Coordinates of all heavy atoms in Angstrom, one line a residue:
M165 N 40.3 -33.0 -50.8 CA 39.4 -32.3 -51.7 C 39.1 -33.0 -52.9 O 39.8 -33.6 -53.5 CB 40.1 -30.9 -52.0 CG 39.5 -30.1 -53.0 SD 38.7 -28.5 -52.4 CE 39.9 -27.6 -51.5
S166 N 37.9 -32.8 -53.3 CA 37.3 -33.5 -54.5 C 37.7 -32.8 -55.7 O 37.6 -31.6 -55.8 CB 35.8 -33.7 -54.4 OG 35.3 -34.2 -55.7
D167 N 38.1 -33.5 -56.8 CA 38.3 -32.8 -58.1 C 37.4 -33.5 -59.1 O 37.7 -33.6 -60.2 CB 39.8 -32.9 -58.6 CG 40.2 -34.4 -58.8 OD1 39.5 -35.3 -58.4 OD2 41.3 -34.5 -59.3
A168 N 36.2 -34.0 -58.6 CA 35.3 -34.7 -59.5 C 34.9 -33.8 -60.7 O 34.6 -32.7 -60.6 CB 34.1 -35.1 -58.7
G169 N 35.1 -34.4 -61.8 CA 34.7 -33.8 -63.0 C 35.8 -32.9 -63.6 O 35.6 -32.3 -64.7
T170 N 36.9 -32.6 -62.9 CA 37.9 -31.7 -63.4 C 39.0 -32.3 -64.3 O 39.7 -31.6 -65.0 CB 38.6 -30.9 -62.2 OG1 39.2 -31.9 -61.5 CG2 37.5 -30.2 -61.5
K171 N 39.1 -33.6 -64.1 CA 40.2 -34.3 -64.9 C 39.6 -35.1 -66.1 O 38.5 -35.7 -65.9 CB 41.0 -35.4 -64.0 CG 41.8 -34.7 -62.9 CD 42.9 -35.6 -62.4 CE 42.2 -36.8 -61.6 NZ 43.2 -37.5 -60.8
P172 N 40.3 -35.1 -67.2 CA 39.8 -35.9 -68.3 C 39.9 -37.4 -67.9 O 40.8 -37.8 -67.2 CB 40.7 -35.5 -69.4 CG 41.9 -34.9 -68.8 CD 41.5 -34.3 -67.5
R173 N 38.9 -38.1 -68.3 CA 38.8 -39.5 -68.0 C 39.8 -40.2 -69.0 O 39.5 -40.2 -70.2 CB 37.4 -40.1 -68.1 CG 37.2 -41.4 -67.6 CD 35.9 -41.7 -66.9 NE 34.8 -40.9 -67.4 CZ 34.2 -41.2 -68.6 NH1 34.6 -42.2 -69.3 NH2 33.2 -40.6 -69.0
T174 N 40.8 -40.9 -68.6 CA 41.7 -41.5 -69.5 C 41.5 -43.0 -69.6 O 42.0 -43.6 -70.5 CB 43.2 -41.3 -69.0 OG1 43.3 -41.7 -67.6 CG2 43.6 -39.7 -69.1
K175 N 40.9 -43.5 -68.6 CA 40.7 -45.0 -68.7 C 39.4 -45.3 -69.5 O 38.4 -44.6 -69.5 CB 40.3 -45.6 -67.3 CG 41.6 -46.0 -66.5 CD 41.2 -46.8 -65.2 CE 42.2 -46.6 -64.1 NZ 41.6 -46.9 -62.9
A176 N 39.6 -46.4 -70.3 CA 38.4 -46.8 -71.1 C 37.3 -47.3 -70.2 O 37.6 -47.8 -69.1 CB 38.8 -47.9 -72.0
R177 N 36.1 -47.1 -70.6 CA 34.9 -47.7 -69.7 C 34.2 -48.6 -70.7 O 33.3 -48.2 -71.4 CB 34.1 -46.5 -69.3 CG 32.9 -47.0 -68.4 CD 31.9 -45.9 -68.2 NE 32.2 -44.9 -67.2 CZ 31.5 -43.8 -67.0 NH1 30.5 -43.5 -67.8 NH2 31.8 -43.0 -66.0
P178 N 34.6 -49.9 -70.6 CA 33.9 -50.9 -71.5 C 32.4 -50.9 -71.2 O 32.0 -50.8 -70.0 CB 34.6 -52.2 -71.2 CG 35.4 -51.9 -69.9 CD 35.5 -50.5 -69.7
K179 N 31.7 -51.0 -72.2 CA 30.1 -51.3 -72.1 C 29.9 -52.5 -71.3 O 30.4 -53.6 -71.7 CB 29.5 -51.3 -73.5 CG 29.5 -50.0 -74.2 CD 28.1 -49.5 -74.4 CE 28.0 -47.9 -74.6 NZ 29.0 -47.5 -75.6
V180 N 29.1 -52.4 -70.3 CA 28.8 -53.6 -69.5 C 27.4 -54.1 -69.9 O 26.5 -53.3 -70.2 CB 28.9 -53.4 -68.0 CG1 30.2 -53.2 -67.5 CG2 27.9 -52.2 -67.6
D181 N 27.3 -55.4 -70.0 CA 26.0 -56.0 -70.3 C 25.0 -55.9 -69.1 O 25.5 -56.0 -67.9 CB 26.1 -57.5 -70.6 CG 26.9 -57.6 -71.9 OD1 26.9 -56.8 -72.8 OD2 27.6 -58.6 -72.0
R182 N 23.7 -55.6 -69.4 CA 22.8 -55.8 -68.3 C 22.7 -57.2 -67.8 O 22.8 -58.1 -68.5 CB 21.4 -55.2 -68.9 CG 21.4 -53.9 -69.3 CD 20.0 -53.5 -69.8 NE 19.9 -52.2 -70.4 CZ 19.9 -51.1 -69.6 NH1 20.0 -51.1 -68.3 NH2 19.9 -49.9 -70.2
P183 N 22.3 -57.3 -66.5 CA 22.2 -58.6 -65.9 C 21.0 -59.4 -66.7 O 20.0 -58.7 -67.0 CB 21.8 -58.3 -64.4 CG 22.0 -56.9 -64.2 CD 22.2 -56.2 -65.4
R184 N 21.2 -60.6 -66.9 CA 20.1 -61.3 -67.7 C 19.0 -61.5 -66.8 O 19.0 -61.7 -65.6 CB 20.7 -62.6 -68.1 CG 21.6 -62.5 -69.3 CD 21.9 -63.9 -69.9 NE 22.8 -64.6 -69.1 CZ 23.3 -65.8 -69.3 NH1 23.0 -66.4 -70.4 NH2 24.2 -66.4 -68.5
M185 N 17.8 -61.5 -67.4 CA 16.6 -61.9 -66.8 C 16.5 -63.4 -66.7 O 17.2 -64.1 -67.4 CB 15.3 -61.3 -67.6 CG 15.4 -59.9 -67.7 SD 15.0 -59.0 -66.1 CE 13.2 -59.1 -66.1
H186 N 15.7 -63.9 -65.7 CA 15.7 -65.4 -65.5 C 14.3 -65.9 -65.6 O 13.3 -65.3 -65.1 CB 16.3 -65.7 -64.1 CG 17.7 -65.7 -64.1 ND1 18.5 -64.6 -64.4 CD2 18.6 -66.7 -63.8 CE1 19.8 -64.9 -64.3 NE2 19.9 -66.1 -64.0
K187 N 14.1 -67.0 -66.3 CA 12.8 -67.6 -66.5 C 12.5 -68.5 -65.3 O 13.4 -69.1 -64.8 CB 12.7 -68.5 -67.7 CG 12.9 -67.7 -69.1 CD 12.9 -68.8 -70.2 CE 14.3 -69.4 -70.4 NZ 14.4 -70.1 -71.7
V188 N 11.3 -68.5 -64.8 CA 10.8 -69.4 -63.9 C 10.0 -70.5 -64.7 O 9.1 -70.2 -65.5 CB 9.9 -68.8 -62.8 CG1 9.3 -70.0 -61.9 CG2 10.6 -67.8 -62.0
I189 N 10.4 -71.7 -64.5 CA 9.8 -72.9 -65.3 C 9.1 -73.8 -64.4 O 9.7 -74.3 -63.3 CB 11.0 -73.5 -66.0 CG1 11.6 -72.6 -67.0 CG2 10.4 -74.8 -66.8 CD1 12.9 -73.1 -67.5
L190 N 7.8 -74.1 -64.7 CA 7.1 -75.1 -64.0 C 7.2 -76.5 -64.6 O 7.1 -76.7 -65.9 CB 5.6 -74.7 -64.1 CG 4.6 -75.8 -63.6 CD1 4.6 -76.1 -62.1 CD2 3.1 -75.3 -64.0
V191 N 7.7 -77.4 -63.8 CA 8.0 -78.8 -64.3 C 6.8 -79.8 -64.0 O 6.3 -79.8 -62.8 CB 9.3 -79.3 -63.7 CG1 9.6 -80.7 -64.2 CG2 10.5 -78.4 -63.9
N192 N 6.4 -80.5 -65.0 CA 5.4 -81.5 -64.7 C 5.8 -82.7 -63.8 O 6.9 -83.0 -63.8 CB 4.9 -82.1 -66.1 CG 3.6 -83.0 -65.9 OD1 2.7 -82.7 -65.1 ND2 3.6 -84.1 -66.6
D193 N 4.8 -83.3 -63.1 CA 5.1 -84.5 -62.5 C 3.8 -85.3 -62.5 O 2.7 -84.8 -62.9 CB 5.6 -84.3 -61.0 CG 4.5 -83.6 -60.1 OD1 3.5 -84.3 -59.8 OD2 4.7 -82.4 -59.8
D194 N 3.8 -86.5 -62.0 CA 2.6 -87.4 -62.1 C 1.8 -87.4 -60.8 O 0.7 -88.0 -60.7 CB 3.0 -88.9 -62.3 CG 3.6 -89.1 -63.7 OD1 3.4 -88.2 -64.5 OD2 4.4 -90.1 -63.7
Y195 N 2.2 -86.6 -59.8 CA 1.5 -86.7 -58.4 C 0.8 -85.4 -58.0 O -0.2 -85.6 -57.2 CB 2.6 -87.1 -57.4 CG 3.3 -88.4 -57.7 CD1 4.6 -88.3 -58.4 CD2 2.7 -89.6 -57.7 CE1 5.2 -89.5 -58.7 CE2 3.3 -90.8 -58.1 CZ 4.6 -90.7 -58.6 OH 5.2 -91.9 -59.0
T196 N 1.3 -84.3 -58.3 CA 0.7 -83.1 -57.8 C -0.6 -82.8 -58.5 O -0.8 -82.9 -59.7 CB 1.6 -81.8 -58.1 OG1 2.9 -82.1 -57.6 CG2 1.0 -80.5 -57.3
P197 N -1.7 -82.7 -57.7 CA -3.1 -82.5 -58.3 C -3.1 -81.2 -59.1 O -2.5 -80.2 -58.8 CB -4.0 -82.3 -57.1 CG -3.3 -83.0 -55.9 CD -1.8 -82.7 -56.2
R198 N -3.8 -81.2 -60.3 CA -3.9 -80.1 -61.2 C -4.4 -78.9 -60.4 O -3.8 -77.8 -60.6 CB -4.9 -80.4 -62.3 CG -4.4 -81.4 -63.3 CD -5.4 -81.6 -64.4 NE -5.2 -82.7 -65.2 CZ -5.8 -82.9 -66.4 NH1 -6.7 -82.0 -66.9 NH2 -5.4 -83.9 -67.1
E199 N -5.4 -79.1 -59.6 CA -6.0 -77.9 -58.8 C -5.0 -77.2 -57.9 O -5.0 -76.0 -57.8 CB -7.3 -78.3 -58.2 CG -8.0 -77.1 -57.6 CD -8.3 -76.0 -58.5 OE1 -8.6 -76.2 -59.8 OE2 -8.1 -74.8 -58.0
F200 N -4.1 -78.1 -57.3 CA -3.1 -77.6 -56.4 C -2.1 -76.7 -57.2 O -1.7 -75.6 -56.7 CB -2.4 -78.7 -55.7 CG -1.4 -78.2 -54.6 CD1 -1.9 -77.8 -53.4 CD2 -0.1 -78.0 -54.9 CE1 -1.0 -77.4 -52.4 CE2 0.8 -77.6 -54.0 CZ 0.3 -77.2 -52.8
V201 N -1.7 -77.1 -58.3 CA -0.7 -76.3 -59.2 C -1.4 -75.0 -59.5 O -0.8 -74.0 -59.4 CB -0.4 -77.1 -60.5 CG1 0.5 -76.3 -61.4 CG2 0.2 -78.5 -60.2
V202 N -2.7 -75.0 -59.9 CA -3.4 -73.7 -60.2 C -3.4 -72.8 -59.0 O -3.1 -71.6 -59.1 CB -4.8 -74.1 -60.6 CG1 -5.7 -72.8 -60.8 CG2 -4.8 -74.8 -62.0
V203 N -3.6 -73.4 -57.8 CA -3.7 -72.6 -56.5 C -2.3 -71.9 -56.3 O -2.3 -70.7 -56.0 CB -4.1 -73.4 -55.4 CG1 -3.8 -72.8 -54.0 CG2 -5.5 -73.9 -55.4
V204 N -1.2 -72.7 -56.5 CA 0.1 -72.2 -56.3 C 0.4 -71.1 -57.3 O 1.0 -70.0 -57.0 CB 1.2 -73.3 -56.4 CG1 2.6 -72.7 -56.3 CG2 1.0 -74.2 -55.1
L205 N 0.1 -71.3 -58.6 CA 0.4 -70.2 -59.6 C -0.4 -69.0 -59.3 O 0.2 -67.9 -59.5 CB -0.1 -70.8 -61.0 CG 0.8 -72.0 -61.5 CD1 0.2 -72.6 -62.8 CD2 2.3 -71.4 -61.9
K206 N -1.6 -69.1 -58.8 CA -2.4 -67.9 -58.5 C -1.7 -67.2 -57.2 O -1.6 -66.0 -57.3 CB -3.8 -68.3 -58.2 CG -4.6 -68.6 -59.5 CD -5.8 -69.4 -59.2 CE -6.9 -68.7 -58.4 NZ -8.1 -69.6 -58.5
A207 N -1.3 -67.9 -56.3 CA -0.8 -67.3 -55.0 C 0.5 -66.8 -55.2 O 0.8 -65.7 -54.7 CB -0.8 -68.4 -53.9
V208 N 1.5 -67.5 -55.9 CA 2.9 -67.0 -55.9 C 3.2 -66.1 -57.0 O 4.0 -65.2 -57.0 CB 3.8 -68.3 -56.0 CG1 5.3 -67.9 -56.2 CG2 3.6 -69.1 -54.7
F209 N 2.4 -66.3 -58.1 CA 2.7 -65.6 -59.3 C 1.6 -64.5 -59.8 O 1.6 -63.9 -60.8 CB 3.0 -66.5 -60.5 CG 4.2 -67.3 -60.2 CD1 4.0 -68.6 -59.7 CD2 5.5 -66.8 -60.5 CE1 5.2 -69.4 -59.4 CE2 6.6 -67.6 -60.2 CZ 6.4 -68.9 -59.7
G210 N 0.7 -64.4 -58.9 CA -0.4 -63.4 -59.1 C -1.3 -63.7 -60.3 O -1.8 -62.7 -60.9
M211 N -1.4 -64.9 -60.8 CA -2.2 -65.2 -62.0 C -3.6 -65.2 -61.6 O -4.0 -65.7 -60.5 CB -1.8 -66.5 -62.6 CG -0.4 -66.5 -63.2 SD 0.0 -68.1 -63.9 CE 1.7 -67.8 -64.4
G212 N -4.5 -64.9 -62.6 CA -6.0 -65.3 -62.6 C -6.2 -66.7 -62.9 O -5.2 -67.5 -63.3
E213 N -7.4 -67.2 -62.6 CA -7.7 -68.6 -62.8 C -7.4 -69.1 -64.2 O -6.9 -70.2 -64.4 CB -9.2 -68.8 -62.4 CG -9.7 -70.2 -62.7 CD -9.3 -71.2 -61.6 OE1 -9.0 -70.8 -60.4 OE2 -9.2 -72.4 -61.9
D214 N -7.8 -68.4 -65.2 CA -7.7 -68.9 -66.6 C -6.2 -69.0 -67.1 O -5.8 -70.0 -67.6 CB -8.4 -67.9 -67.6 CG -9.9 -67.9 -67.4 OD1 -10.4 -68.7 -66.5 OD2 -10.7 -67.2 -68.1
R215 N -5.4 -68.0 -66.7 CA -3.9 -68.0 -67.0 C -3.3 -69.2 -66.2 O -2.5 -69.9 -66.8 CB -3.4 -66.7 -66.7 CG -1.9 -66.6 -66.9 CD -1.5 -66.3 -68.4 NE -0.1 -66.4 -68.6 CZ 0.5 -67.2 -69.5 NH1 -0.3 -67.9 -70.4 NH2 1.8 -67.2 -69.6
A216 N -3.6 -69.3 -65.0 CA -3.0 -70.3 -64.2 C -3.3 -71.7 -64.7 O -2.5 -72.6 -64.8 CB -3.5 -70.2 -62.7
Y217 N -4.7 -71.9 -65.1 CA -5.0 -73.2 -65.7 C -4.3 -73.5 -66.9 O -3.9 -74.6 -67.2 CB -6.6 -73.2 -65.8 CG -7.1 -74.6 -66.2 CD1 -7.3 -75.6 -65.3 CD2 -7.3 -74.9 -67.6 CE1 -7.8 -76.8 -65.7 CE2 -7.7 -76.1 -67.9 CZ -8.0 -77.1 -67.0 OH -8.3 -78.4 -67.4
A218 N -4.2 -72.4 -67.8 CA -3.5 -72.7 -69.1 C -2.0 -73.0 -68.9 O -1.5 -73.9 -69.6 CB -3.7 -71.4 -70.0
V219 N -1.4 -72.3 -68.0 CA 0.1 -72.6 -67.7 C 0.2 -74.0 -67.2 O 1.0 -74.8 -67.6 CB 0.7 -71.6 -66.8 CG1 2.0 -72.1 -66.2 CG2 0.8 -70.2 -67.5
M220 N -0.7 -74.4 -66.2 CA -0.7 -75.8 -65.7 C -0.8 -76.8 -66.8 O -0.1 -77.8 -66.8 CB -1.7 -75.9 -64.6 CG -1.8 -77.3 -63.9 SD -2.7 -78.4 -64.8 CE -4.4 -77.8 -64.8
M221 N -1.8 -76.6 -67.6 CA -2.1 -77.6 -68.7 C -0.9 -77.7 -69.7 O -0.6 -78.8 -70.2 CB -3.4 -77.2 -69.4 CG -4.7 -77.6 -68.6 SD -4.7 -79.3 -68.1 CE -4.9 -80.2 -69.7
T222 N -0.3 -76.6 -69.9 CA 0.9 -76.6 -70.9 C 2.0 -77.4 -70.2 O 2.7 -78.3 -71.0 CB 1.3 -75.2 -71.2 OG1 0.4 -74.5 -71.8 CG2 2.7 -75.2 -72.1
A223 N 2.3 -77.2 -69.0 CA 3.3 -78.0 -68.3 C 2.9 -79.5 -68.3 O 3.7 -80.5 -68.5 CB 3.5 -77.5 -66.9
H224 N 1.6 -79.8 -68.0 CA 1.1 -81.1 -68.0 C 1.2 -81.8 -69.3 O 1.6 -83.1 -69.4 CB -0.4 -81.1 -67.5 CG -1.1 -82.3 -67.5 ND1 -0.9 -83.3 -66.6 CD2 -2.1 -82.9 -68.3 CE1 -1.6 -84.4 -66.7 NE2 -2.4 -84.2 -67.9
Q225 N 1.0 -81.1 -70.4 CA 1.0 -81.8 -71.7 C 2.3 -81.8 -72.4 O 2.7 -82.7 -73.1 CB 0.0 -81.0 -72.6 CG -1.5 -81.3 -72.2 CD -2.5 -80.3 -72.9 OE1 -2.1 -79.3 -73.5 NE2 -3.7 -80.7 -72.8
R226 N 3.2 -80.8 -72.1 CA 4.5 -80.6 -72.8 C 5.7 -81.0 -71.9 O 6.8 -81.1 -72.3 CB 4.6 -79.3 -73.4 CG 3.5 -78.9 -74.3 CD 3.6 -77.4 -74.8 NE 4.7 -77.2 -75.6 CZ 4.7 -77.1 -76.8 NH1 3.5 -77.2 -77.5 NH2 5.8 -76.8 -77.5
G227 N 5.4 -81.1 -70.5 CA 6.5 -81.5 -69.6 C 7.0 -80.3 -68.8 O 7.5 -80.5 -67.7
A228 N 6.9 -79.1 -69.4 CA 7.3 -77.9 -68.6 C 6.7 -76.7 -69.3 O 6.3 -76.8 -70.5 CB 8.8 -77.8 -68.7
C229 N 6.7 -75.6 -68.5 CA 6.1 -74.4 -69.1 C 6.8 -73.1 -68.4 O 7.0 -73.2 -67.2 CB 4.6 -74.3 -68.9 SG 3.8 -72.8 -69.5
V230 N 7.2 -72.1 -69.2 CA 7.7 -70.9 -68.7 C 6.5 -70.2 -67.9 O 5.5 -70.0 -68.6 CB 8.4 -70.0 -69.8 CG1 8.8 -68.7 -69.2 CG2 9.5 -70.8 -70.4
V231 N 6.7 -69.9 -66.7 CA 5.6 -69.2 -66.0 C 5.8 -67.7 -66.0 O 4.8 -67.0 -66.3 CB 5.8 -69.6 -64.5 CG1 4.8 -68.8 -63.6 CG2 5.7 -71.1 -64.3
A232 N 7.0 -67.1 -65.9 CA 7.3 -65.7 -65.9 C 8.8 -65.5 -66.0 O 9.5 -66.4 -65.9 CB 6.7 -65.1 -64.7
V233 N 9.1 -64.3 -66.2 CA 10.6 -63.8 -66.3 C 10.8 -62.7 -65.4 O 10.0 -61.7 -65.3 CB 10.9 -63.4 -67.8 CG1 12.3 -63.0 -67.8 CG2 10.7 -64.6 -68.7
Y234 N 11.9 -62.8 -64.5 CA 12.2 -61.7 -63.5 C 13.7 -61.6 -63.4 O 14.4 -62.4 -64.0 CB 11.7 -62.3 -62.1 CG 10.3 -62.6 -62.0 CD1 9.8 -63.9 -61.9 CD2 9.3 -61.7 -61.8 CE1 8.5 -64.3 -61.8 CE2 8.0 -61.9 -61.6 CZ 7.6 -63.3 -61.6 OH 6.2 -63.6 -61.4
A235 N 14.1 -60.6 -62.6 CA 15.5 -60.5 -62.2 C 15.8 -61.7 -61.5 O 14.9 -62.3 -60.9 CB 15.6 -59.3 -61.3
K236 N 17.1 -62.1 -61.5 CA 17.5 -63.4 -61.0 C 17.1 -63.7 -59.5 O 16.5 -64.8 -59.3 CB 19.1 -63.4 -61.0 CG 19.7 -64.8 -60.6 CD 21.3 -64.8 -60.8 CE 21.9 -66.2 -60.7 NZ 22.0 -66.6 -59.3
D237 N 17.3 -62.7 -58.6 CA 16.9 -62.9 -57.2 C 15.4 -63.2 -57.1 O 14.9 -64.1 -56.2 CB 17.4 -62.0 -56.3 CG 16.9 -60.5 -56.7 OD1 16.5 -60.3 -57.8 OD2 16.9 -59.6 -55.8
V238 N 14.6 -62.4 -57.8 CA 13.1 -62.6 -57.7 C 12.8 -63.9 -58.3 O 11.9 -64.6 -57.7 CB 12.4 -61.4 -58.5 CG1 10.9 -61.6 -58.4 CG2 12.8 -60.1 -57.9
A239 N 13.3 -64.3 -59.4 CA 12.9 -65.6 -60.0 C 13.3 -66.7 -59.1 O 12.5 -67.7 -58.9 CB 13.7 -65.8 -61.3
E240 N 14.4 -66.6 -58.4 CA 14.9 -67.7 -57.5 C 13.9 -67.8 -56.3 O 13.6 -68.9 -55.8 CB 16.3 -67.6 -57.1 CG 17.2 -68.0 -58.3 CD 18.7 -67.7 -58.1 OE1 19.0 -67.0 -57.1 OE2 19.5 -68.1 -59.0
T241 N 13.6 -66.6 -55.7 CA 12.7 -66.6 -54.6 C 11.3 -67.2 -54.9 O 10.8 -68.0 -54.2 CB 12.5 -65.1 -54.1 OG1 13.8 -64.6 -53.7 CG2 11.5 -65.0 -53.0
K242 N 10.8 -66.8 -56.1 CA 9.4 -67.2 -56.4 C 9.5 -68.7 -56.8 O 8.5 -69.5 -56.4 CB 8.9 -66.4 -57.6 CG 8.4 -65.1 -57.1 CD 7.7 -64.3 -58.2 CE 7.2 -63.0 -57.7 NZ 5.9 -63.1 -56.9
A243 N 10.5 -69.3 -57.5 CA 10.6 -70.7 -57.7 C 10.7 -71.5 -56.4 O 10.0 -72.5 -56.3 CB 11.8 -70.9 -58.6
G244 N 11.4 -70.9 -55.5 CA 11.5 -71.5 -54.2 C 10.2 -71.6 -53.4 O 9.8 -72.6 -52.8
Q245 N 9.5 -70.5 -53.5 CA 8.2 -70.4 -52.8 C 7.1 -71.4 -53.4 O 6.4 -72.1 -52.6 CB 7.6 -68.9 -52.9 CG 8.3 -68.0 -52.1 CD 7.8 -66.5 -52.3 OE1 7.2 -66.3 -53.3 NE2 8.2 -65.6 -51.4
G246 N 7.2 -71.6 -54.8 CA 6.3 -72.5 -55.4 C 6.6 -74.0 -55.1 O 5.8 -74.7 -54.7
S247 N 8.0 -74.2 -55.1 CA 8.4 -75.6 -54.7 C 8.2 -75.9 -53.3 O 7.8 -77.0 -52.9 CB 9.8 -75.7 -55.1 OG 10.1 -75.6 -56.5
D248 N 8.4 -74.9 -52.4 CA 8.1 -75.1 -51.0 C 6.7 -75.4 -50.7 O 6.3 -76.2 -49.8 CB 8.6 -73.8 -50.2 CG 10.1 -73.7 -50.1 OD1 10.8 -74.6 -50.5 OD2 10.6 -72.6 -49.6
A249 N 5.8 -74.7 -51.4 CA 4.4 -74.9 -51.2 C 4.0 -76.3 -51.5 O 3.1 -77.0 -50.8 CB 3.5 -74.0 -52.1
G250 N 4.6 -76.9 -52.6 CA 4.3 -78.3 -52.9 C 4.8 -79.2 -51.9 O 4.1 -80.1 -51.4
R251 N 6.1 -79.0 -51.4 CA 6.6 -79.9 -50.4 C 5.9 -79.9 -49.2 O 5.6 -80.9 -48.6 CB 8.1 -79.4 -50.1 CG 8.9 -80.4 -49.3 CD 10.4 -79.9 -49.3 NE 11.0 -79.6 -50.5 CZ 11.4 -78.3 -50.9 NH1 11.2 -77.3 -50.1 NH2 11.9 -78.2 -52.0
A252 N 5.4 -78.7 -48.8 CA 4.7 -78.5 -47.5 C 3.4 -79.3 -47.6 O 2.8 -79.7 -46.5 CB 4.4 -77.1 -47.2
A253 N 2.8 -79.5 -48.7 CA 1.6 -80.3 -48.9 C 1.9 -81.7 -49.3 O 0.9 -82.5 -49.6 CB 0.7 -79.6 -50.0
G254 N 3.1 -82.1 -49.3 CA 3.5 -83.5 -49.6 C 3.5 -83.8 -51.1 O 3.5 -84.9 -51.5
Y255 N 3.7 -82.8 -52.0 CA 3.8 -83.1 -53.4 C 5.2 -82.7 -53.9 O 5.9 -81.9 -53.4 CB 2.7 -82.3 -54.2 CG 1.3 -82.5 -53.7 CD1 0.4 -81.5 -53.3 CD2 0.8 -83.8 -53.7 CE1 -0.8 -81.7 -52.9 CE2 -0.4 -84.1 -53.4 CZ -1.3 -83.0 -52.9 OH -2.6 -83.3 -52.5
P256 N 5.5 -83.4 -55.1 CA 6.9 -83.1 -55.6 C 6.9 -82.0 -56.6 O 7.8 -81.9 -57.4 CB 7.2 -84.4 -56.4 CG 5.9 -84.9 -56.8 CD 4.9 -84.4 -55.7
L257 N 5.9 -81.1 -56.5 CA 5.8 -79.9 -57.4 C 7.2 -79.2 -57.5 O 7.8 -78.8 -56.4 CB 4.8 -79.0 -56.9 CG 4.5 -77.7 -57.7 CD1 4.0 -78.0 -59.1 CD2 3.5 -76.7 -57.1
L258 N 7.6 -78.9 -58.7 CA 9.0 -78.2 -58.8 C 9.0 -77.1 -59.9 O 8.5 -77.2 -61.0 CB 10.0 -79.3 -59.4 CG 11.4 -78.8 -59.7 CD1 12.1 -78.4 -58.5 CD2 12.2 -80.0 -60.5
F259 N 9.5 -76.0 -59.4 CA 9.8 -74.8 -60.2 C 11.2 -74.7 -60.3 O 12.0 -74.8 -59.3 CB 9.2 -73.5 -59.6 CG 7.7 -73.5 -59.6 CD1 6.9 -74.0 -58.6 CD2 7.0 -72.8 -60.6 CE1 5.5 -74.1 -58.5 CE2 5.6 -72.8 -60.6 CZ 4.9 -73.5 -59.5
T260 N 11.8 -74.5 -61.5 CA 13.2 -74.3 -61.7 C 13.4 -72.9 -62.3 O 12.4 -72.2 -62.7 CB 13.9 -75.3 -62.6 OG1 13.2 -75.2 -63.9 CG2 13.7 -76.6 -62.1
T261 N 14.7 -72.4 -62.3 CA 15.0 -71.1 -63.1 C 16.1 -71.3 -64.0 O 16.8 -72.2 -63.9 CB 15.4 -70.0 -62.0 OG1 16.7 -70.3 -61.5 CG2 14.4 -69.7 -61.0
E262 N 16.1 -70.6 -65.1 CA 17.2 -70.5 -66.0 C 17.4 -69.1 -66.7 O 16.4 -68.4 -66.8 CB 17.2 -71.6 -67.1 CG 16.1 -71.5 -68.1 CD 16.3 -72.5 -69.1 OE1 16.1 -73.7 -68.8 OE2 16.3 -72.2 -70.3
P263 N 18.6 -68.7 -66.9 CA 18.8 -67.4 -67.5 C 18.3 -67.3 -69.0 O 18.3 -68.4 -69.6 CB 20.3 -67.2 -67.6 CG 20.9 -68.5 -67.3 CD 19.9 -69.4 -66.6
E264 N 17.8 -66.2 -69.3 CA 17.3 -66.0 -70.7 C 18.6 -65.9 -71.6 O 19.7 -65.5 -71.2 CB 16.5 -64.7 -70.8 CG 15.0 -64.8 -70.4 CD 14.2 -63.8 -70.9 OE1 14.6 -62.6 -70.9 OE2 13.1 -64.1 -71.5
Q265 N 18.3 -66.1 -73.0 CA 19.3 -66.1 -74.0 C 20.4 -67.2 -73.9 O 20.1 -68.3 -73.7 CB 20.0 -64.7 -74.1 CG 19.3 -63.7 -74.9 CD 18.5 -62.8 -74.1 OE1 18.3 -63.0 -73.3 NE2 17.9 -61.8 -74.0
Ligands
TYC478 N1 0.4 -84.0 -64.1 C1 -0.3 -83.7 -62.9 C2 -1.5 -84.5 -62.8 O1 -1.9 -85.1 -63.8 C3 -0.7 -82.2 -62.9 C4 0.5 -81.3 -62.9 C5 0.5 -80.4 -64.0 C6 1.5 -81.5 -62.1 C7 1.6 -79.5 -64.1 C8 2.6 -80.6 -62.2 O2 3.7 -78.8 -63.3 C9 2.6 -79.6 -63.1 N2 -2.1 -84.5 -61.6

């Protein structure tokens, strides 16, 4: 028989931190064509042409660019899809992930 709610709770319930969000980071390389990077950003991350071009150019000029922030499993899946698309086309295109904060 359940006594849910009838007994005082005697154990402490420590506040738990929310799971951290994870950044997806686009890493520059010397071989992947700019237009291919733009195509992948549009396909995998749902960006429009202008946003995708701006993110690609930031990675191109600065070495890397944060693409988006997601829950860990979503970030890892999307980073994998982007890197896989590059590999399938013979390019070293790389997306990595890292936790926020
Ligand atoms: N640097 C590449 C070129 O000049 C283009 C590029 C941009 C590649 C961003 C990867 O994450 C990247 N063709």
Side-chain angles (χ1 to χ4, degrees):
M165 171 110 51
S166 167
D167 64 352
T170 61
K171 288 197 298 193
R173 190 147 33 75
T174 53
K175 272 195 212 156
R177 184 194 275 172
K179 288 243 158 51
V180 290
D181 295 328
R182 291 180 187 287
R184 280 188 290 181
M185 299 290 277
H186 283 58
K187 297 180 279 194
V188 176
I189 298 163
L190 170 64
V191 181
N192 186 40
D193 66 73
D194 290 339
Y195 304 101
T196 308
R198 293 183 186 193
E199 186 51 40
F200 185 84
V201 180
V202 170
V203 166
V204 171
L205 289 170
K206 287 158 67 171
V208 176
F209 299 95
M211 293 183 183
E213 177 74 25
D214 292 0
R215 177 82 186 127
Y217 187 81
V219 168
M220 179 281 294
M221 283 306 293
T222 298
H224 177 72
Q225 290 166 346
R226 302 172 69 100
C229 181
V230 176
V231 174
V233 177
Y234 300 105
K236 184 173 193 280
D237 59 337
V238 177
E240 288 173 350
T241 296
K242 286 188 177 281
Q245 288 171 346
S247 299
D248 287 350
R251 191 176 311 113
Y255 300 127
L257 181 63
L258 179 64
F259 292 84
T260 62
T261 66
E262 69 175 59
E264 280 200 315
Q265 276 94 344

